[in-house]
């Protein structure tokens, strides 16, 4: 079987490729010219230069492939040019799905995010919960819009689709929001802690990669949705765990929620002017997400895909080791 993987150089994608290689699949990775591909090039993996925003290259990349694992997206809470969210997360998703239909791909596993549910009335929410009325960031909003396109193609044109919804992902090698947050904590680069009592469901990156593989391998699961993650912790609990494992003191100040949001708005305005990410990672979208809370139920993936969730403490320990090794 030959599998095309998009987003293979990202946080989850890197872990996924590492788990796929021993299984003996023939792997082709769609990578951009600017992607860091050294780790992939050192393995027996076919690299195909292209972009999910270019349907012609997608069709060429899918030639001879049986399945597509679509991880490509723009995951961030601030961008110099916010139009990139729509270009990749919406139009890029559309082009991947349409190309898969045209090329007769057997199955598409699309990696979304649990954030597309917003804040449903059901706590914890599951795959069958009606989505909440609001998405709390441009990332979540555009991922949701891209998902709707994929589901429309599933219903109207029988796209062989399976959808994965990771919660907040932790683990070594994370250079995005969560990894940056832990790095700032252990390097004492945060002036205060925020949203100490807000709850989030977390998951180890290895568990997400395993769920993607199991979803791709499982028979007769077209149209299925899988939330991936099961451990609910407050940010205060996460902070204290990081402090204990890293052996560093937490900031002495706990910023009130209302003041956090005021600071985030001001810092985001400044970031938009100077075209540099907001100080301390305090983008308005990121603070909205942290304030909103996300409590999800990932038990379906345990039952139907047979995955076993890794303790979040393990993920934090491995993240801290990775950060210190690379600084």
């Amino acid at each position: 079987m030959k599998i095309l993987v998009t987003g293979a150089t990202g946080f989850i994608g890197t872990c996924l490729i590492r788990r796929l290689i021993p299984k003996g699949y023939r792997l082709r990775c769609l990578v951009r010219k600017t992607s860091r591909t050294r780790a992939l090039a050192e393995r027996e993996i076919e690299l195909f230069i292209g972009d999910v925003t270019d349907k012609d290259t997608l069709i060429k990349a899918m030639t001879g492939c049986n399945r597509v694992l679509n991880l490509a997206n723009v995951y961030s809470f601030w961008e110099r040019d916010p139009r990139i969210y729509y270009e990749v997360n919406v139009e890029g998703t559309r082009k991947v799905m349409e190309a898969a239909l045209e090329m007769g791909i057997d199955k598409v596993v699309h990696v979304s995010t649990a954030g597309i549910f917003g804040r449903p009335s059901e706590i914890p929410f599951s795959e069958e919960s009606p989505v909440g009325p609001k998405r709390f960031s441009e990332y979540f909003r555009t991922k949701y819009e891209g998902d709707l396109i994929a589901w429309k193609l599933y219903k109207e044109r029988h796209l062989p689709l399976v959808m994965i919804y990771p919660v907040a992902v932790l683990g070594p090698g994370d250079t995005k929001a969560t990894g940056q947050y832990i790095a700032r904590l252990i390097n004492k680069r945060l002036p205060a802690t925020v949203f100490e009592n807000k709850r989030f469901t977390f998951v180890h990156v290895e568990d997400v990669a395993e769920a993607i593989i199991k979803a791709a391998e499982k028979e007769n699961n077209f149209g299925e949705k899988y939330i991936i993650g099961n451990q609910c912790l407050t940010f205060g609990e996460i902070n204290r765990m990081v402090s204990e494992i890293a052996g560093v003191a937490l900031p002495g100040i706990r910023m009130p929620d209302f003041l956090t949001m005021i600071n985030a708005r001001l810092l985001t305005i400044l970031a938009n002017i100077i075209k540099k990410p907001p100080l301390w990672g305090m983008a308005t979208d990121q603070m909205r997400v942290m304030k909103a809370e996300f409590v999800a139920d990932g038990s379906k993936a345990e039952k139907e895909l047979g995955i076993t969730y890794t303790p979040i403490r393990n993920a934090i320990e491995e993240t801290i080791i990775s950060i210190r090794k690379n600084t």
Side-chain angles (χ1 to χ4, degrees):
M1 181 185 293
K2 191 165 189 177
I3 300 173
L4 175 69
V5 181
T6 73
T9 59
F11 175 40
I12 299 173
T14 301
C15 183
L16 174 66
I17 293 297
R18 188 174 65 250
R19 281 179 167 263
L20 279 170
I21 287 172
K23 289 180 168 287
Y25 295 121
R26 290 179 295 152
L27 301 178
R28 177 182 290 166
C29 296
L30 182 74
V31 296
R32 291 171 297 167
K33 291 180 179 179
T34 56
S35 296
R36 296 181 178 179
T37 59
R38 182 177 178 180
L40 295 177
E42 292 173 351
R43 303 175 184 269
E44 293 184 4
I45 298 171
E46 181 185 353
L47 302 183
F48 192 98
I49 304 297
D51 196 292
V52 294
T53 60
D54 184 341
K55 188 175 176 181
D56 288 339
T57 60
L58 283 168
I59 288 174
K60 292 175 183 176
M62 291 182 194
T63 300
C65 293
N66 307 98
R67 296 189 177 176
V68 172
L69 309 182
N70 185 42
L71 285 72
N73 73 143
V74 174
Y75 166 51
S76 67
F77 294 107
W78 180 86
E79 290 289 336
R80 291 181 178 85
D81 184 353
R83 291 176 296 182
I84 194 172
Y85 290 111
Y86 184 86
E87 291 172 4
V88 177
N89 297 343
V90 180
E91 287 303 313
T93 298
R94 181 197 303 277
K95 289 170 183 175
V96 169
M97 302 304 154
E98 289 178 344
L101 279 168
E102 291 182 29
M103 297 306 295
I105 295 297
D106 295 340
K107 180 184 282 188
V108 179
V109 178
H110 176 64
V111 179
S112 181
T113 167
I116 66 98
F117 284 85
R119 193 175 184 184
S121 57
E122 296 179 12
I123 302 175
F125 63 86
S126 71
E127 293 85 352
E128 304 309 314
S129 299
V131 299
K134 181 180 179 182
R135 264 35 62 199
F136 292 94
S137 72
E138 190 65 5
Y139 167 63
F140 289 162
R141 188 191 70 77
T142 51
K143 286 293 286 184
Y144 180 55
E145 191 172 341
D147 289 2
L148 292 178
I149 291 168
W151 285 122
K152 188 172 188 289
L153 291 172
Y154 164 75
K155 292 174 183 176
E156 295 182 359
R157 296 178 57 187
H158 308 292
L159 175 72
L161 177 68
V162 177
M163 196 84 78
I164 300 289
Y165 302 97
V167 294
V169 185
L170 291 171
D174 182 11
T175 60
K176 298 293 185 176
T178 311
Q180 291 172 4
Y181 178 78
I182 293 175
R184 290 187 182 104
L185 273 180
I186 67 175
N187 292 318
K188 298 184 177 182
R189 293 175 182 168
L190 285 179
T193 57
V194 299
F195 303 124
E196 287 261 328
N197 298 319
K198 298 299 183 180
R199 299 174 298 164
F200 249 69
T201 305
F202 294 88
V203 67
H204 196 302
V205 64
E206 295 283 351
D207 300 341
V208 179
E210 183 66 10
I212 295 168
I213 295 170
K214 291 288 183 66
E217 293 176 336
K218 186 176 175 63
E219 298 295 328
N220 303 316
N221 64 338
F222 298 138
E224 291 291 349
K225 306 174 181 179
Y226 301 102
I227 290 173
I228 312 300
N230 77 329
Q231 192 165 340
C232 184
L233 296 165
T234 65
F235 285 110
E237 289 171 328
I238 290 289
N239 293 342
R240 289 187 287 276
M241 201 179 295
V242 171
S243 173
E244 177 190 338
I245 294 169
V248 297
L250 293 173
I253 301 172
R254 294 185 179 183
M255 192 178 297
D257 292 2
F258 79 93
L259 190 55
T260 299
M261 294 310 302
I262 291 173
N263 282 327
R265 291 187 187 101
L266 292 174
L267 289 171
T268 302
I269 290 171
L270 177 61
N272 291 337
I273 294 171
I274 66 174
K275 301 300 180 184
K276 291 184 178 180
L279 189 63
W280 304 309
M282 289 188 70
T284 302
D285 275 6
Q286 185 170 341
M287 296 302 105
R288 282 178 183 151
V289 169
M290 293 176 71
K291 183 181 178 183
E293 296 189 301
F294 289 92
V295 182
D297 176 6
S299 60
K300 177 181 176 180
E302 289 181 293
K303 297 170 186 174
E304 296 191 9
L305 299 180
I307 67 170
T308 300
Y309 287 117
T310 306
I312 291 304
R313 185 181 182 89
N314 293 20
I316 292 176
E317 288 175 346
E318 293 166 22
T319 301
I320 291 170
I321 291 170
S322 175
I323 291 169
R324 287 178 165 168
K325 182 180 178 180
N326 293 293
T327 54

